[in-house]
Amino acid sequence: MLTLASLFDGIGGWLIAAHRNGIKPVWSSEIEDFPMKVSKAHFPDVEQLGDVTKTNGGNVPLKVEKDICNHKTPQAILKPSGYVVRRLTPLECERLQGLPDNYTAYGSDTARYKAIGNGMAQPCADFVLSKVVEMFEEADGET
C-alpha cells in the first residue's frame, strides 16, 4: 500500500486525496492550531507532527523529498458596477475548493477563511494522487 506524508498540511487536502485514492496517510505537519484541529477531526489516526522546523527527522516515519505549494482562494464575489459585493460564506469557500460541506466547521469564520484560503483545490490533489496510484499500478503490472 502506498503511504503519504503531508508537509504544510493545512486542513488536510492531501489527506482527503490520499483517502480517496487508496493511499494511507501516515503523518502530517502543520503549524497553525485550527487547521490541525480540522485535520485531526477528519483523520484521527494520522500522526500530527506540528511545526516541521521543531521535528526531529530521526523520529519521522517517512522521508519526504518534495512538497507542493498551495494557492489562496478569493473570499469575495465581485459583481458588475452597481451591485453589492458580499463575502462568501465559509461553506461557499469550502465548495469552491472542492471540500466536503462543513469540513472546517470547528472554529470561528475567521479561522475557517484562513484555513480554506491556505488550502488547495481538492480536485487538484485528487487528480495528482490518482495519477500516482495509476503509475504504481502500471509499474506493478510490468514485473
Side-chain angles (χ1 to χ4, degrees):
M1 170 181 265
L2 293 176
T3 57
L4 174 85
S6 181
L7 286 170
F8 318 110
D9 186 55
I11 56 176
W14 287 105
L15 304 181
I16 295 171
H19 178 74
R20 289 178 178 172
N21 287 283
I23 300 170
K24 180 182 178 186
V26 179
W27 62 262
S28 66
S29 175
E30 173 57 47
I31 195 169
E32 296 284 338
D33 289 336
F34 179 71
M36 286 192 309
K37 182 178 178 182
V38 171
S39 186
K40 188 67 172 170
H42 293 282
F43 298 94
D45 296 331
V46 174
E47 185 178 355
Q48 300 280 334
L49 299 181
D51 185 348
V52 73
T53 65
K54 296 180 173 62
T55 300
N56 178 342
N59 296 332
V60 176
L62 293 174
K63 292 182 180 177
V64 176
E65 297 175 5
K66 296 183 181 179
D67 64 292
I68 297 175
C69 298
N70 299 326
H71 294 86
K72 301 212 183 272
T73 302
Q75 293 178 355
I77 296 175
L78 302 178
K79 296 187 176 185
S81 179
Y83 289 87
V84 174
V85 175
R86 70 169 177 87
R87 179 182 284 246
L88 293 174
T89 67
L91 178 61
E92 290 169 324
C93 290
E94 288 171 339
R95 289 176 176 171
L96 283 172
Q97 287 288 74
L99 295 167
D101 285 0
N102 295 309
Y103 187 77
T104 61
Y106 300 96
S108 69
D109 282 358
T110 300
R112 293 176 75 186
Y113 285 123
K114 182 176 180 181
I116 296 165
N118 284 335
M120 60 171 306
Q122 191 57 50
C124 176
D126 292 344
F127 177 81
V128 169
L129 289 186
S130 73
K131 295 303 177 188
V132 169
V133 169
E134 281 180 27
M135 181 189 70
F136 276 96
E137 287 174 347
E138 288 174 9
D140 286 345
E142 294 175 4
T143 57

